[in-house]
Amino acid sequence: PDPATRPLYGEHDHFLGVHGAPGGAPYYLHWIGARWGLRGIGPYETRAAYEKARARMTEQGWTYYGIYSPQATHLRYDIAWLTEKERAWFNAQGKDAWNLFFTPEGRAIYRKILERNVRLSLEQPFFNKDRIWEIMWEPELTVPSPERLLEAVRFSHGIIKGIDPAAKIALPTLSGFKHMDFYKRIFELGILRYADVFDMHFYSALPPEENGYVRNVRNLVEMVRTYAGRDLPMIATEGGESFG
């Protein structure tokens, strides 16, 4: 069937999609019904670069929703414009990206990068009406403690909302359902006070029917409702299993 004949749901509608990275060549996602694609890590350094990327990604008829991703693990792609001293400090950290949050030097650099990116996001409309910021990426794998994660989230939230109060913060972007104890701990600490959107990576063991996928989703929805005091919009920025 022609993908163009299928309904195109808006960004605020409930829909399921497949996330991929179509590069302009014929791509299988069209033929299984996907019309939306995820685009993360942004904004672009110039409006011209933004327009070029947008044209490239839409030439096959895709509709995108965008997630701005300033998380520490991605900042290494965006440091060429820093001073030589700042770049040297950044490169000396290696994989210890949490120093961006927990040292004075790191916080100054992180604030500088994030403030610049938030201002650029106001000039670049991206692909959706909402400006959504995913400020962490699977933090349970590397963060020193849940308390330190809350500290980093609070710091990032203040910078983003201070420049763009209408921005939406997506948290906590944990990976899969095997970290339910970590979820409970950060929920108890109050991390959902800083969340406008609940974001996670919905990985599950195969087959999902035999590994409690639906039960886990329902449990997580109830936990979010309990600790946030309300339902939050929920998005998946990764998910699924390798196959074939």
Side-chain angles (χ1 to χ4, degrees):
D2 181 357
T5 65
R6 300 188 179 103
L8 178 60
Y9 297 102
E11 67 189 78
H12 292 153
D13 296 320
H14 185 99
F15 70 92
L16 298 176
V18 179
H19 300 169
Y27 202 64
Y28 77 92
L29 294 185
H30 259 44
W31 305 109
I32 63 174
R35 295 286 301 281
W36 283 78
L38 170 67
R39 178 63 184 173
I41 310 178
Y44 294 87
E45 290 191 22
T46 66
R47 181 57 183 257
Y50 162 78
E51 295 293 355
K52 180 179 179 181
R54 179 169 182 143
R56 184 177 66 251
M57 286 182 274
T58 56
E59 64 184 2
Q60 293 291 318
W62 284 84
T63 299
Y64 279 83
Y65 67 94
I67 304 289
Y68 295 112
S69 301
Q71 60 261 37
T73 51
H74 288 164
L75 291 182
R76 62 184 180 275
Y77 301 119
D78 186 33
I79 65 170
W81 59 278
L82 294 175
T83 67
E84 183 177 352
K85 181 179 180 180
E86 289 167 339
R87 291 198 305 274
W89 182 92
F90 194 103
N91 290 328
Q93 307 312 304
K95 295 183 178 181
D96 196 4
W98 291 102
N99 284 338
L100 282 163
F101 301 103
F102 306 138
T103 66
E105 299 90 345
R107 282 195 166 205
I109 293 173
Y110 179 73
R111 175 181 290 278
K112 184 175 178 178
I113 294 173
L114 190 50
E115 286 180 345
R116 170 180 177 270
N117 285 353
V118 176
R119 291 190 178 97
L120 282 173
S121 76
L122 294 172
E123 302 170 6
Q124 298 174 9
F126 222 91
F127 306 103
N128 43 283
K129 298 175 183 177
D130 292 325
R131 292 178 297 280
I132 303 174
W133 291 86
E134 180 189 60
I135 57 177
M136 298 293 158
W137 180 86
E138 298 185 354
E140 79 283 0
L141 302 180
T142 57
V143 72
S145 69
E147 290 78 10
R148 305 238 71 178
L149 175 60
L150 179 64
E151 180 183 342
V153 164
R154 186 186 295 118
F155 181 57
S156 303
H157 181 279
I159 296 172
I160 295 170
K161 292 283 192 174
I163 297 173
D164 183 9
K168 294 187 176 180
I169 308 299
L171 292 168
T173 324
L174 270 60
S175 176
F177 299 102
K178 58 183 178 293
H179 303 290
M180 297 302 283
D181 290 343
F182 195 94
Y183 274 120
K184 188 172 187 297
R185 179 60 182 144
I186 60 176
F187 289 170
E188 289 174 341
L189 289 172
I191 200 170
L192 293 179
R193 290 198 302 268
Y194 304 96
D196 301 298
V197 176
F198 181 83
D199 175 22
M200 74 171 288
H201 294 168
F202 282 82
Y203 291 111
S204 179
L206 288 176
E209 297 86 351
E210 296 177 14
N211 285 280
Y213 188 86
V214 172
R215 182 184 68 250
N216 285 329
V217 170
R218 288 174 174 164
N219 288 343
L220 200 50
V221 168
E222 186 58 36
M223 286 176 67
V224 170
R225 180 181 296 131
T226 297
Y227 285 98
R230 69 190 194 283
D231 286 317
L232 291 175
M234 301 183 77
I235 61 174
T237 46
E238 287 186 28
E241 294 289 345
S242 297
F243 61 93

